Amino acid sequence: MIPPAALPAQLLPSIPLLPYNLLPIVPSLSPDKHKGQTGGKLLTLGSSPEYFGAGMFAASAMLRAGGDMAHVLTLTEAAGSAIRANSKGELMVFTPEACGQQTCQDLLSRMDGVCVGPGLSRSDEAHDFASFCCDVIAATPHITSIVVDADGLFAHPSQPRPPLTCFQNDPRAILTPNIVEFRRLTSRYCPSPLDSPSAPVPAAASSLLSELGVGAIVVKGRTDHIVTPTHHVECAVNGGLKRCGGLGDVLAGVTCLFATWLRSFERGGGEGGPQLHEVLYAACAVARESSRRAFVRHGRSTSAPHVVGEVGGVCEELFPPW
Ligand SMILES: NC(=O)C1=CN([C@@H]2O[C@H](COP(=O)(O)OP(=O)(O)OC[C@H]3O[C@@H](n4cnc5c(N)ncnc54)[C@H](O)[C@@H]3O)[C@@H](O)[C@H]2O)[C@@H](O)CC1
Ligand SMILES: Nc1ncnc2c1ncn2[C@@H]1O[C@H](COP(=O)(O)OP(=O)(O)OP(=O)(O)O)[C@@H](O)[C@H]1O
């Protein structure tokens, strides 16, 4: 633990952490509600034997930030077994190998929010399965928010219909690329010169947003750029100093949860709530503050589970406990 007095400015807590009022969309807890009715039913489609942790971190972050039920849908039993063995049973894990494609399809159609891509891998088999699932997701109006991250954003040059194309012109879709994924997407979809690596991120992100017709893009990096059709905001909340793998997975999970809460509030006729860019800023702030706290506690040994472990405490300070 770094003593508070020894913290350099770049590791101090950002005050205020959240300049926007998210409280209207935070579901109130009640003994009259059933599981899934408050925090929502969330699912991460991803993970693979090599990257099983990524889908697990995203799904665990959904739970820790306030989701009721977090599922992982992954192609292989090898990845599914690894997640079951490492997640203390808090995640519900489904694979087509164990339960068949029809069960996977039924599961997807019951979800409120999904996150596609963390740890998915780029194998043809994983992408074919993801495309099958993304068709189901795209055709399920009950699903209110769709976060596409990591390998969900990847397209083999020869691939006729990569997963992302299922969500073109779908305002429920929120893309959360890192800078490498973002530049890859702009070079595929944006007109020159916005496809150039030196093009300013906000302009290129706006162009990508309108080319793809999605609801929002969050470009992660030293500052996170959040772009919707009407707004561009930057989140520069202090994060930890160690860039261990898995921090983007945490952000993807929290983003999916908060966007689902927003849509549930709107569908319930709520008025006066925050706008999408404010909710996405909140997700970035929670992920970055969680990574800062983990780093202050664990320094160079910080790893993704430490960051996941901080998400609950950060959200607890931002939102009322009931
Ligand atoms: N524990 C796990 O299972 C983890 C799995 N992960 C998964 O690993 C897979 C491959 O992800 P990669 O991001 O490595 O993809 P890439 O294999 O596309 O990365 C290629 C190269 O891009 C550069 N790069 C990657 N991220 C960058 C960033 N944020 N800023 C600057 N340069 C960057 C690095 O030089 C990297 O070697 C994805 O499925 C991802 O979800 C990651 O989420 C990390 C944690
Ligand atoms: N220089 C930085 N300073 C502070 N926070 C950062 C910095 N770079 C990235 N982050 C934060 O780290 C998280 C992950 O961003 P990153 O660009 O590493 O994504 P990623 O490559 O998709 O992550 P993953 O390792 O999960 O695949 C985001 O919350 C982002 O805001």
Side-chain angles (χ1 to χ4, degrees):
M1 179 88 163
I2 306 173
L7 287 177
Q10 58 190 341
L11 276 178
L12 291 174
S14 302
I15 298 172
L17 184 60
L18 198 51
Y20 307 114
N21 182 13
L22 230 64
L23 295 189
I25 69 161
V26 179
S28 51
L29 301 170
S30 149
D32 298 329
K33 290 187 182 164
H34 303 293
K35 63 187 172 193
Q37 283 188 324
T38 310
K41 296 179 190 158
L42 295 314
L43 179 142
T44 301
L45 168 63
S47 282
S48 54
E50 296 81 3
Y51 302 131
F52 76 86
M56 198 176 89
F57 301 143
S60 292
M62 291 166 165
L63 272 186
R64 302 306 162 89
D68 281 351
M69 300 169 79
H71 308 74
V72 180
L73 178 54
T74 186
L75 176 61
T76 64
E77 262 305 292
S81 303
I83 297 169
R84 291 183 197 105
N86 282 280
S87 59
K88 299 188 197 136
E90 69 181 14
L91 304 178
M92 288 160 272
V93 185
F94 291 75
T95 72
E97 256 172 79
C99 49
Q101 291 230 347
Q102 186 59 48
T103 301
C104 297
Q105 187 165 342
D106 295 344
L107 174 73
L108 282 167
S109 62
R110 294 196 301 273
M111 293 300 114
D112 301 308
V114 296
C115 171
V116 177
L120 178 70
S121 94
R122 295 169 191 171
S123 74
D124 290 343
E125 295 76 19
H127 269 234
D128 286 349
F129 178 59
S131 294
F132 162 80
C133 293
C134 289
D135 278 335
V136 176
I137 294 166
T140 305
H142 183 259
I143 296 174
T144 55
S145 71
I146 303 161
V147 171
V148 191
D149 185 46
D151 294 329
L153 299 166
F154 190 80
H156 293 289
S158 60
Q159 210 174 350
R161 252 185 108 255
L164 177 59
T165 53
C166 302
F167 307 125
Q168 276 183 262
N169 300 312
D170 190 334
R172 296 173 298 169
I174 299 161
L175 316 189
T176 53
N178 67 30
I179 195 67
V180 177
E181 291 153 353
F182 176 66
R183 294 301 182 197
R184 210 182 277 133
L185 286 168
T186 50
S187 69
R188 183 175 170 124
Y189 294 104
C190 288
S192 161
L194 288 173
D195 64 353
S196 128
S198 58
V201 168
S206 287
S207 164
L208 184 62
L209 188 84
S210 44
E211 291 295 328
L212 292 173
V214 293
I217 300 181
V218 178
V219 186
K220 297 168 287 190
R222 191 182 179 103
T223 62
D224 296 332
H225 290 271
I226 298 147
V227 176
T228 68
T230 48
H231 290 83
H232 164 236
V233 288
E234 273 183 58
C235 178
V237 161
N238 280 346
L241 295 182
K242 185 173 169 195
R243 308 264 73 79
C244 56
L247 304 184
D249 307 322
V250 172
L251 174 65
V254 177
T255 301
C256 182
L257 177 73
F258 287 179
T260 303
W261 283 358
L262 172 66
R263 296 313 179 202
S264 164
F265 170 81
E266 289 171 348
R267 283 192 179 190
E271 284 175 17
Q275 298 186 57
L276 180 60
H277 67 279
E278 297 174 334
V279 169
L280 299 179
Y281 181 101
C284 293
V286 166
R288 294 169 75 101
E289 170 66 3
S290 302
S291 127
R292 188 195 68 81
R293 290 186 190 190
F295 185 77
V296 168
R297 269 192 228 281
H298 302 282
R300 285 180 196 268
S301 74
T302 304
S303 66
H306 295 139
V307 180
V308 171
E310 298 290 344
V311 170
V314 174
C315 290
E316 203 63 27
E317 286 173 25
L318 287 175
F319 311 135
W322 50 80

